[in-house]
C-alpha cells in the first residue's frame, strides 16, 4: 500500500512562514505529479500548488508569489514553503501524489495550518 506522511503544520502570526513536508512510500511505488490541496471551514477544497516529474510548477492565484513548491524526486517527497502568510491561508493542508503508471491519486493525512495574531 501507498502511504503519504505530512509534517510541518502549526500556528504562526500573519506575515510569518511555514514549511510543509510530505513523503510518499510504498513497495515499487513511483509518482508523477505531487502537490498540495487545502480546505478551510465552509469552503471547497482547492488546489494550492503542484509540480510535475519534469519540474513544471503550478500555483493557485491566491498564493502565487508567496508559496513555493519543491520536490525531491529520488525520495518521492514534496515540500511547500509558505511565506507572507495571511489569515485566509488557514486550512487543513493535504499533500497528494499521482501514481506514475496507474494515475491514481494518494493522499496524506492532512496537517492544520493556522494563521492568527
Amino acid at each position: 500500500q501507498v502511504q503519504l506522511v505530512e509534517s510541518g503544520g502549526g500556528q504562526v502570526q500573519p506575515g510569518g512562514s511555514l514549511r510543509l513536508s510530505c513523503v510518499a512510500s510504498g513497495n515499487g511505488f513511483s509518482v508523477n505529479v505531487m502537490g498540495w490541496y487545502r480546505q478551510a471551514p465552509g469552503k471547497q477544497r482547492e488546489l494550492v500548488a503542484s509540480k510535475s516529474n519534469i519540474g513544471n510548477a503550478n500555483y493557485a492565484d491566491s498564493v502565487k508569489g508567496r508559496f513555493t513548491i519543491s520536490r525531491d524526486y529520488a525520495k518521492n517527497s514534496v515540500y511547500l514553503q509558505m511565506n507572507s502568510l495571511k489569515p485566509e491561508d488557514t486550512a487543513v493542508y493535504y499533500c497528494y501524489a499521482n501514481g506514475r503508471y496507474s494515475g491514481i491519486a494518494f493522499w496524506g493525512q492532512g496537517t492544520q495550518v493556522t494563521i492568527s495574531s
Side-chain angles (χ1 to χ4, degrees):
Q1 59 182 5
V2 176
Q3 183 178 21
L4 276 65
V5 179
E6 302 180 32
S7 62
Q11 181 178 353
V12 296
Q13 296 184 1
S17 297
L18 284 172
R19 182 176 173 86
L20 305 183
S21 299
C22 177
V23 180
S25 63
N27 188 31
F29 179 71
S30 62
V31 301
N32 186 6
V33 174
M34 296 188 75
W36 298 87
Y37 280 78
R38 69 184 180 187
Q39 187 166 25
K43 298 187 67 177
Q44 296 289 323
R45 187 166 64 174
E46 64 174 346
L47 179 64
V48 178
S50 64
K51 194 165 188 177
S52 75
N53 62 334
I54 59 172
N56 295 324
N58 293 289
Y59 298 92
D61 289 341
S62 60
V63 307
K64 197 170 186 177
R66 300 188 297 120
F67 291 9
T68 303
I69 188 170
S70 59
R71 296 270 298 271
D72 185 329
Y73 296 95
K75 297 181 179 180
N76 287 333
S77 300
V78 63
Y79 310 90
L80 188 67
Q81 179 66 46
M82 304 185 293
N83 298 326
S84 301
L85 284 162
K86 305 174 180 180
E88 51 263 44
D89 294 318
T90 296
V92 177
Y93 284 70
Y94 300 89
C95 69
Y96 77 95
N98 290 106
R100 189 167 187 173
Y101 304 106
S102 69
I104 298 172
F106 301 93
W107 297 90
Q109 79 278 13
T111 186
Q112 177 70 48
V113 171
T114 302
I115 315 303
S116 65
S117 58

